Amino acid sequence: MLTRFVHTVSVAVLFISAGILSGTSYADDDEEIAIADLPKEVAATIIKRYPKGEMTAATKTKEDKAVVYEVELKNAGKSIEIAVFEDGKIDWIAIDV
């Protein structure tokens, strides 16, 4: 059991080290932005999907080489988080039930 644990930890350290040596960044590149500063295409996508939703917070982040906007909103009493690419395509949606 201890051998398996040590092996697992060793493999995890190896992968982390490989990422660091290859220049892969694990830094948090999130930037909070004002709702008014969302690109037109992003805001339009969210409004089309949730016309009665109220956007409450927005974050600009990078995923690989793409810029993604993660927006929190309230809609019909539910908290929703939606991620939209700069061109207005939806990346993912999370709904708290």
Side-chain angles (χ1 to χ4, degrees):
M1 186 76 151
L2 180 59
T3 305
R4 183 182 294 184
F5 174 75
V6 171
H7 182 266
T8 302
V9 171
S10 298
V11 170
V13 169
L14 178 65
F15 281 120
I16 292 169
S17 298
I20 291 169
L21 294 175
S22 70
T24 302
S25 173
Y26 294 102
D28 189 8
D29 291 336
D30 294 351
E31 173 189 350
E32 289 186 33
I33 62 167
I35 301 296
D37 293 336
L38 287 170
K40 245 184 343 182
E41 296 83 1
V42 172
T45 295
I46 295 169
I47 292 168
K48 182 178 179 182
R49 181 86 177 204
Y50 299 103
K52 296 183 181 183
E54 178 187 348
M55 291 183 257
T56 58
T59 304
K60 178 181 177 181
T61 188
K62 287 189 177 180
E63 288 184 7
D64 295 321
K65 295 180 182 180
V67 176
V68 178
Y69 293 86
E70 296 177 7
V71 179
E72 296 175 20
L73 61 130
K74 298 283 184 186
N75 188 67
K78 295 182 181 179
S79 295
I80 299 170
E81 191 171 350
I82 183 170
V84 182
F85 292 105
E86 284 181 298
D87 63 0
K89 292 182 181 168
I90 296 173
D91 185 20
W92 52 263
I93 299 173
I95 302 172
D96 288 341
V97 288

